[in-house]
């Protein structure tokens, strides 16, 4: 299994903290404070913040600092809808254009997903799941489409990642991968498109529960901040 760079792991931790409400929308993220909190130097923190800015999770305001951005519910729903369409296009093209070598690489990614699923390792599954999807983007042999799918995938990463911690989601996700792979192996473009769109759309439906959780956490965060220090 590939070694995950330190900046990437910090990015994932910060993504989770943002989505879970530890850092609320509009919060300023101070590199020095983050370096102390995560027990590391400022360099990987700055790299992680740059990656988050590129994905749209944070916004850098000149001379003011880096602040948490938060997509609205409508924006997130819209992005999941577009993600399903983009991945559907990738799978449709991949069914016609995928090489035997690319199909073999997809099998290896799915085998790695199986290992993580069996171990109950949601975070490990998340990384292998990302490889699985990006291999399909590449197998479309349409660089522009692959780039657009990868860009939106990055924006939705923290939300897709947290969904994998839901009960039985690993097993369901793995089974959905199996349906996608079977269609790709047959060269069935319609079935491959439908299978991967269903895979993403199922995540979109589960997203309603995620939104509710986020809203509860954010309300709790606001209440904690509005409570005077030392009061009970």
């Amino acid at each position: 299994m590939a070694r995950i760079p330190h900046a990437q792991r910090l990015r994932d931790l910060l993504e989770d903290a943002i989505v879970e409400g530890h850092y609320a929308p509009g919060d300023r993220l101070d590199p020095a404070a983050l370096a102390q909190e995560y027990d590391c130097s400022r360099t990987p923190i700055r790299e992680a913040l740059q990656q988050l800015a590129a994905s749209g999770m944070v916004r850098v305001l000149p001379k003011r600092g880096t602040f948490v951005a938060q997509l609205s519910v409508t924006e997130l729903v819209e992005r999941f809808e577009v993600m399903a369409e983009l991945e559907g296009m990738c799978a449709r093209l991949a069914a016609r254009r995928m090489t035997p070598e690319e199909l073999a690489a997809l099998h290896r990614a799915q085998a790695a997903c199986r290992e993580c699923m069996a171990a109950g390792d949601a975070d490990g599954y998340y990384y292998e799941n990302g490889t699985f999807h990006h291999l399909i983007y590449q197998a479309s042999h349409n660089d522009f489409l692959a780039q657009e799918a990868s860009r939106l995938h990055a924006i939705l990463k923290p939300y897709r990642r947290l969904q994998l911690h839901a009960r039985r989601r690993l097993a369901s996700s793995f089974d959905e991968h199996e349906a996608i792979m079977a269609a790709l192996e047959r060269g069935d473009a319609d079935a491959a498109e439908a299978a991967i769109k269903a895979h993403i759309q199922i995540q979109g439906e589960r997203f309603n529960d995620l939104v509710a959780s986020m809203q509860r956490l954010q309300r709790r965060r606001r209440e904690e901040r509005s409570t005077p220090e030392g009061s009970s």
Side-chain angles (χ1 to χ4, degrees):
M1 192 176 296
R3 180 177 177 274
I4 307 302
H6 190 34
Q8 177 65 58
R9 290 195 179 279
L10 285 170
R11 170 194 165 142
D12 292 341
L13 290 171
L14 286 168
E15 281 179 337
D16 284 352
I18 290 170
V19 174
E20 291 171 355
H22 181 65
Y23 302 115
D27 275 3
R28 183 175 182 274
L29 299 177
D30 177 50
L34 291 173
Q36 183 174 2
E37 180 175 353
Y38 291 100
D39 191 24
C40 64
S41 69
R42 296 189 192 184
T43 298
I45 290 291
R46 290 195 184 97
E47 291 176 4
L49 291 177
Q50 288 172 358
Q51 293 174 16
L52 288 172
S55 73
M57 286 297 294
V58 304
R59 293 173 182 167
V60 180
L61 303 181
K63 299 182 179 179
R64 293 183 57 192
T66 301
F67 296 83
V68 174
Q70 182 66 60
L71 297 175
S72 68
V73 172
T74 299
E75 288 173 328
L76 283 166
V77 170
E78 289 173 348
R79 282 156 178 77
F80 269 108
E81 289 177 345
V82 174
M83 188 78 261
E85 294 298 325
L86 288 177
E87 295 213 12
M89 291 173 65
C90 287
R92 169 173 284 278
L93 292 175
R96 301 202 302 262
R97 301 174 179 177
M98 179 174 268
T99 67
E101 293 77 16
E102 289 169 336
L103 185 57
L106 195 65
H107 274 287
R108 290 193 293 272
Q110 180 69 336
C113 286
R114 182 185 292 106
E115 290 181 7
C116 293
M117 177 190 66
D121 181 2
D123 288 334
Y125 185 97
Y126 164 77
Y127 289 111
E128 302 302 343
N129 175 70
T131 298
F132 182 92
H133 283 268
H134 280 91
L135 285 170
I136 294 174
Y137 304 164
Q138 294 165 14
S140 73
H141 292 273
N142 182 315
D143 289 343
F144 179 77
L145 176 60
Q147 289 170 7
E148 289 300 298
S150 296
R151 184 183 64 81
L152 188 52
H153 183 101
I155 293 173
L156 293 176
K157 279 181 69 175
Y159 307 98
R160 295 176 76 159
R161 185 167 185 248
L162 285 176
Q163 287 173 13
L164 291 174
H165 290 271
R167 187 179 182 186
R168 288 198 54 77
R169 181 55 197 156
L170 291 185
S172 297
S173 176
F174 181 83
D175 289 343
E176 290 157 17
H177 281 189
E178 291 283 276
I180 295 164
M181 285 187 57
L184 291 172
E185 287 181 317
R186 297 194 308 269
D188 188 335
D190 289 341
E193 179 181 20
I196 204 166
K197 286 173 73 173
H199 178 54
I200 302 304
Q201 288 164 350
I202 288 172
Q203 290 183 320
E205 291 167 1
R206 291 174 182 273
F207 175 67
N208 292 330
D209 293 335
L210 177 60
V211 169
S213 297
M214 289 169 57
Q215 290 172 338
R216 285 194 299 271
L217 287 166
Q218 289 167 2
R219 282 197 298 270
R220 188 184 310 160
R221 183 73 168 161
R222 287 194 295 269
E223 290 169 0
E224 289 172 353
R225 289 178 178 177
S226 64
T227 301
E229 186 175 353
S231 65
S232 58

